[in-house]
Amino acid sequence: HVEAVLRKQGHALVIVAEGAGQTQMGAEPKYDASGNILNEDVGLWLKGVIAKHFGQAKYDADPAFAGKKAKPFLVDPTYAIRAVPANAADQVYCSSLAHAAVHGAMAGYTRFIVGDINTRLAMLPLDVVVNRRNVVAIRDRMWTRLLFSTGQPPFEA
C-alpha cells in the first residue's frame, strides 16, 4: 500500500500505534514491575523495514522513483506534545480533571479514573476501564468510514 501511495502522490504518511507490530517484529514479551507489558519501539523497526524495502536496486531503475529516494522519517509525537505550552483551554480542562479526582478521593473512592463523557466529568471504576481490550470490528460502519476518509485499503478478514 505504501508503494502504491508513493507512486500516485509522491509521498506517504504512515501512522502506527504504540504497541502495534510486536508479533511482526518478533519481540519477546517483557513486563515492568507492575506487570505492564513493555513494548518494543515499532516506529524504529518500521522505519528500518521501509528504508530497506525502498533501498533495493530495483527502485533505482524504476521511472516512478528515478533520481528519488524513499526516505522514511520517524516523528515521536510525545516530544511534540510535551514541547507545546498548555493554552487556557488545556489549563481549565486539566484543572477540572484534577478537581474531580480530588473530590472522588476525598469522598473515599479508590481505584477510579476521571474522564470526560459527553461533556460531563465522570468517575469510572478502574477495573471497568482496563478490564478488556478494545476490539475494532473491521466490518463495522465506523471502520468503513475511517478507511474511506484516510484512503487506507481494507483488511482481508
Side-chain angles (χ1 to χ4, degrees):
H1 179 67
V2 172
E3 184 172 333
V5 171
L6 281 173
R7 287 183 186 283
K8 182 179 177 185
Q9 298 179 180
H11 66 276
L13 175 66
V14 177
I15 299 174
V16 62
E18 178 185 5
Q22 298 301 299
T23 304
Q24 291 82 353
M25 294 168 47
E28 293 293 324
K30 296 177 191 162
Y31 300 91
D32 66 8
S34 302
N36 298 315
I37 289 182
L38 298 172
N39 293 312
E40 297 292 327
D41 191 342
V42 68
L44 287 175
W45 174 80
L46 190 58
K47 179 182 176 185
V49 168
I50 292 171
K52 183 178 177 183
H53 177 81
F54 289 107
Q56 297 175 51
K58 70 178 185 176
Y59 290 104
D60 293 335
D62 189 324
F65 292 93
K68 298 183 253 175
K69 288 284 182 188
K71 197 175 193 182
F73 293 94
L74 175 63
V75 177
D76 184 351
T78 55
Y79 296 111
I81 291 168
R82 291 182 187 142
V84 176
N87 62 24
D90 295 331
Q91 292 173 350
V92 168
Y93 180 61
C94 289
S95 178
S96 297
L97 288 174
H99 284 111
V102 169
H103 181 75
M106 295 298 283
Y109 294 123
T110 60
R111 299 191 47 79
F112 71 96
I113 188 169
V114 177
D116 189 20
I117 300 175
N118 294 331
T119 70
R120 294 182 186 246
L121 290 178
M123 289 179 257
L124 302 168
L126 196 55
D127 294 335
V128 172
V129 176
V130 299
N131 191 24
R132 66 177 176 85
R133 288 184 174 269
N134 188 18
V135 178
V136 177
I138 62 172
R139 300 232 185 261
D140 188 30
R141 192 174 279 172
M142 285 303 290
W143 180 254
T144 305
R145 289 176 182 150
L146 174 107
L147 292 178
F148 179 75
S149 66
T150 60
Q152 294 181 67
F155 293 114
E156 300 300 325

